[in-house]
Amino acid sequence: YHLTPFVSYHQFDTGGYNIKISMMELMKFDCGGSAAVLGAAKAVGELAPEGVEAHFIVAACENMINDRAIVPSDVLTASNGVTIEIINTDAEGRLTLADALVYADKEVGCESIIELSTLTGACMVSLGTKVCGVWTSDDDLASDLSNVSKKTGEKSWRMPLEKEYNDQLKSKIADITNCGTRYGGAITAALFLENFVDKKKPFAHIDIAGPVWDDKVGATGFGAKMVTEWVSMQGKSE
């Protein structure tokens, strides 16, 4: 079984030209998703589950201000040809995820894909800091991830993929914009990512922005157990 768990990774996220005006000193937790996936990669390598081939992909970047940085109104062309109007430079993680998803889907040719990222503050508003959000149109994958969540104790909740919200991503000059309005921001982020994976392929977006960080202790490692168990489960199912 050929699959990919992967994550968008920021060495540091200033927000770009839509610069962050608060919490910038905590942006180290934006590396939490990649830490979880790399931790899972180490665990899976040591466990060596049979019947599964897993690819761990990290789309590494920084979001900084310089003379080559993207600015609002720029149009970016993703590697699958989809054009993206930049509305907000602080919605940049999904731009790196777009090309990573295309790579996992088209180049690696994985049968199933899960993606972990600290993608939106909107997910934290919805679910708090102890529960991650899961977006997928595949009921079997949703069930697998729910079972993994219960087994590992890493709490998750399946969230809606409300197709009507795609209207928020419409652009007059490109195929889509990189973000919608302030309402339903975690949902529109998930809808955005659907443009970069084959519609027939099992795919889940997992927003772990809340649980990767605890103000009392720092980084939690949330997601590593979830990914490790999911990969191992795929091998057993074969």
Side-chain angles (χ1 to χ4, degrees):
Y1 194 78
H2 202 206
L3 54 90
T4 301
F6 80 94
V7 66
S8 166
Y9 172 68
H10 303 294
Q11 292 175 313
F12 199 83
D13 178 16
T14 68
Y17 280 98
N18 291 106
I19 196 164
K20 294 180 184 295
I21 58 174
S22 65
M23 292 181 63
M24 195 187 296
E25 74 281 3
L26 292 178
M27 281 302 99
K28 59 175 72 70
F29 81 65
D30 240 9
C31 305
S34 58
V37 168
L38 291 171
K42 181 178 180 181
V44 169
E46 293 179 356
L47 292 170
E50 296 183 1
V52 60
E53 178 181 325
H55 295 256
F56 299 85
I57 300 170
V58 172
C61 69
E62 286 187 324
N63 188 18
M64 298 284 189
I65 294 173
N66 61 39
D67 61 336
R68 299 182 62 191
I70 58 174
V71 298
S73 79
D74 275 353
V75 174
L76 176 72
T77 302
S79 56
N80 65 343
V82 173
T83 55
I84 307 162
E85 180 185 2
I86 307 304
I87 301 298
N88 190 310
T89 63
D90 200 19
E92 82 300 333
R94 64 200 68 185
L95 303 178
T96 67
L97 283 173
D99 280 349
L101 282 168
V102 173
Y103 177 78
D105 183 20
K106 303 299 184 184
E107 299 295 327
V108 180
C110 292
E111 297 174 46
S112 186
I113 301 172
I114 65 171
E115 167 267 310
L116 284 82
S117 54
T118 53
L119 199 60
T120 68
C123 189
M124 298 171 69
V125 172
S126 299
L127 297 176
T129 59
K130 302 299 182 183
V131 183
C132 71
V134 176
W135 284 262
T136 179
S137 59
D138 189 284
D139 291 337
D140 290 336
L141 180 54
S143 178
D144 283 350
L145 290 170
S146 178
N147 291 334
V148 165
S149 179
K150 293 172 183 175
K151 185 171 183 178
T152 62
E154 294 190 326
K155 297 178 182 179
S156 68
W157 193 259
R158 189 179 184 183
M159 300 287 276
L161 277 166
E162 179 52 60
K163 302 301 184 184
E164 191 173 350
Y165 290 6
N166 272 313
D167 288 346
Q168 293 188 32
L169 300 177
K170 288 183 177 179
S171 168
K172 294 183 177 66
I173 61 172
D175 295 320
I176 53 175
T177 63
N178 74 323
C179 63
T181 69
R182 61 179 296 189
Y183 302 111
I187 298 174
T188 53
L191 291 170
F192 174 90
L193 295 176
E194 286 195 316
N195 289 278
F196 306 97
V197 181
D198 189 313
K199 305 299 183 187
K200 298 178 181 178
K201 184 165 295 188
F203 163 62
H205 159 58
I206 306 173
D207 194 328
I208 61 174
V212 297
W213 186 264
D214 185 308
D215 286 337
K216 295 180 180 178
V217 300
T220 65
F222 186 97
K225 291 186 291 184
M226 181 184 293
V227 174
T228 302
E229 181 60 30
W230 180 72
V231 172
S232 299
M233 178 189 292
Q234 307 314 307
K236 294 172 185 176
S237 66
E238 293 298 301

